[in-house]
Amino acid sequence: MSSRHDIDVRPIRAGEIPDWIRAMNTGFLRPPSVSEAEIADRSTYIVPGRTLGAFDGDRCVGTFRSFAQEVTAVGGAAVRADAISNVTVTSTHRRRGVLTRMMAQDLAAARDRGDAVATLIAAEYPIYGRYGFGAATTAAEWTVDVPRAGLDPRWAGPGDGGRVDLVDGDEVRKTGPGLHERLRRSQPGAIDRSERWWQTATGALLLDRAPWTEPFHALYRTADGEPEGLLTYTVDDRWGDAKQPQQTAKVKDLVAVSPAAERALWHHVCSIDWVTAVRTGWRAPDDLLPHLLPDPRAAAITTQADWLWIRILDVVAALEARTYASAGVLVLEVTDPDGLSRGRYRLDASPEGASCTPTTEEAGLVLPVASLGSLWLGDESAVRLAALGRVREVRAGAARLADALLRTSRRPWCPDMF
């Protein structure tokens, strides 16, 4: 058996893309076959130097990819992020430090590039805390029992002067990016979407590994004709034994930049003939949907779990990028096993702006960098983390002050998987 010292961790070369894809598919328990179409597609967006492979001789046994991303901080600033994806280690090569070496290479390079944070969506919870990542947003999915919801079954469109129209993929590619840009500038935790994202979401680019079902797209326009919301959904074909329709609409994406658009699009999908259930897809944990229904209990939570994880790489840049609803001074001592963000920092925050500087002052809170990642977008509570032993309060009241400074009135949310 090879030791960890026999495994070479490095950026992959062009000719190694097929082996890298095979290793990734194996790690995700997908068929290990590799098609020419997938090789061609991957080659278009692999960033040189940021796609790592772990090699035991000529065989790829670990995969790791990162790419440039923008994540929205509290207040709307777009923060440079190192987005991490496609992380696998082949089952025959676990517990040999492969992931640790790939992660260390990538995070060090990201810090040198000037990225303020790193992001990922964790398939398994226990893995990434040891690399300094903290769960920073939660996502929830509801299933709506349409007949119970109490909505008017005769509804034919919004009563605010706006309208809902079904549109095709071409219209989505023209209108969707602008709508999403408006949403992400106001939604802490949201990330940017590439042109490729819109192509795959509308069928302009078909992938071998994802069977394509043509969806429906509904666009909400205000009375002035301004697009403010876009809904994408599919519907299955299920009938009961008594020839009763029992179709479920599955929402793939809903982008709304106003409560009116959100209300109209949810009402649209809940009023389609034959549809008796609506699966909402991943939404913010405080989504308006349940209380847009006359009977909120008709929307039952199907799944709720952690979603976007944040790893702070530059404490000063991350804390200065966001806004604060109140004023205060907080001294944080950040521990970091990798040393990337270790130090003591004084945060002077107010609604007018913030500064963060290294300091030798006594800390009010001592916390690992993973806990700072959980707090940065405003969803987690420092008081709660202190009760869990994940934050240590040195100065009485420091955790409550941190909550007053950092927490947000609406919860952060990342609408996307990557």
Side-chain angles (χ1 to χ4, degrees):
M1 182 178 71
S2 60
S3 71
R4 67 181 61 200
H5 303 293
D6 297 324
I7 298 173
D8 186 20
V9 172
R10 57 172 173 76
I12 66 170
R13 307 179 183 106
E16 294 168 334
I17 291 176
D19 290 338
W20 187 91
I21 295 173
R22 185 175 294 107
M24 183 193 64
N25 286 343
T26 298
F28 287 135
L29 301 182
R30 298 197 292 248
S33 57
V34 182
S35 70
E36 291 299 323
E38 186 171 9
I39 294 170
D41 178 51
R42 282 274 177 187
S43 300
T44 64
Y45 62 89
I46 281 181
V47 181
R50 295 184 67 167
T51 301
L52 304 180
F55 291 87
D56 185 355
D58 294 331
R59 181 188 173 200
C60 185
V61 296
T63 64
F64 190 109
R65 182 174 72 91
S66 72
F67 57 94
Q69 185 184 77
E70 289 184 346
V71 60
T72 302
V74 177
V79 174
R80 284 182 52 176
D82 176 54
I84 294 171
S85 186
N86 301 145
V87 178
T88 73
V89 177
T90 303
S91 57
T92 55
H93 287 69
R94 300 172 65 211
R95 304 290 184 264
R96 303 191 204 179
V98 173
L99 175 55
T100 297
R101 292 171 61 193
M102 293 191 295
M103 186 69 75
Q105 283 191 29
D106 184 80
L107 293 181
R111 183 70 164 84
D112 290 344
R113 279 193 306 270
D115 294 338
V117 301
T119 62
L120 57 80
I121 294 175
E124 298 176 76
Y125 193 99
I127 295 175
Y128 293 99
R130 67 179 186 263
Y131 301 115
F133 287 84
T137 76
T138 298
E141 182 178 30
W142 284 266
T143 298
V144 179
D145 182 345
V146 172
R148 182 183 171 183
L151 295 168
D152 182 355
R154 300 167 298 174
W155 187 85
D160 57 4
R163 60 181 292 165
V164 175
D165 293 302
L166 292 177
V167 297
D168 61 14
D170 288 338
E171 181 63 35
V172 171
R173 288 188 294 275
K174 287 189 291 186
T175 307
L179 273 174
H180 179 264
E181 189 67 12
R182 291 169 64 188
L183 171 68
R184 84 171 180 104
R185 292 300 181 182
S186 62
Q187 177 59 63
I191 59 175
D192 56 319
R193 288 179 177 176
S194 65
E195 180 183 355
R196 182 180 181 277
W197 189 98
W198 292 101
Q199 291 176 337
T200 58
T202 57
L205 175 62
L206 299 179
L207 305 177
D208 286 355
R209 64 182 179 276
W212 175 250
T213 298
E214 187 74 25
F216 299 94
H217 306 285
L219 180 66
Y220 170 84
R221 294 185 178 91
T222 66
D224 297 329
E226 178 73 13
E228 286 195 346
L230 180 63
L231 166 69
T232 297
Y233 60 96
T234 59
V235 182
D236 64 10
D237 184 18
R238 183 183 175 203
W239 292 78
D241 293 337
K243 205 173 182 293
Q244 292 295 314
Q246 297 178 352
Q247 269 81 332
T248 296
K250 296 182 179 181
V251 174
K252 312 295 285 184
D253 191 39
L254 192 155
V255 175
V257 297
S258 70
E262 198 167 349
R263 180 187 298 272
L265 291 172
W266 283 125
H267 204 157
H268 165 76
V269 74
C270 288
S271 66
I272 300 170
D273 286 346
W274 298 359
V275 169
T276 59
V278 173
R279 292 286 297 263
T280 66
W282 292 104
R283 304 294 302 165
D286 60 349
D287 198 90
L288 299 179
L289 170 63
H291 294 280
L292 294 175
L293 306 174
D295 184 351
R297 294 182 184 178
I301 288 183
T302 305
T303 308
Q304 183 166 314
D306 58 280
W307 196 248
L308 185 71
W309 289 57
I310 297 286
R311 207 282 187 205
I312 304 294
L313 297 172
D314 186 330
V315 175
V316 171
L319 291 180
E320 289 186 345
R322 55 160 292 166
T323 59
Y324 301 86
S326 59
V329 176
L330 183 65
V331 178
L332 303 171
E333 183 171 331
V334 180
T335 62
D336 187 343
D338 298 321
L340 297 173
S341 299
R342 184 185 302 136
R344 194 173 295 176
Y345 304 88
R346 174 187 168 110
L347 173 66
D348 291 82
S350 77
E352 289 72 44
S355 66
C356 181
T357 54
T359 185
T360 57
E361 296 178 47
E362 181 185 8
L365 290 179
V366 177
L367 70 169
V369 68
S371 293
L372 183 59
S374 294
L375 292 168
W376 180 62
L377 287 174
D379 196 38
E380 187 55 273
S381 159
V383 171
R384 183 171 179 270
L385 290 182
L388 290 168
R390 299 176 187 174
V391 165
R392 181 165 62 88
E393 187 177 57
V394 177
R395 181 170 296 176
R400 289 195 303 274
L401 173 59
D403 282 354
L405 293 176
L406 296 170
R407 300 204 80 184
T408 56
S409 55
R410 290 292 302 272
R411 298 182 69 177
W413 174 48
C414 178
D416 293 298
M417 169 76 77
F418 59 91

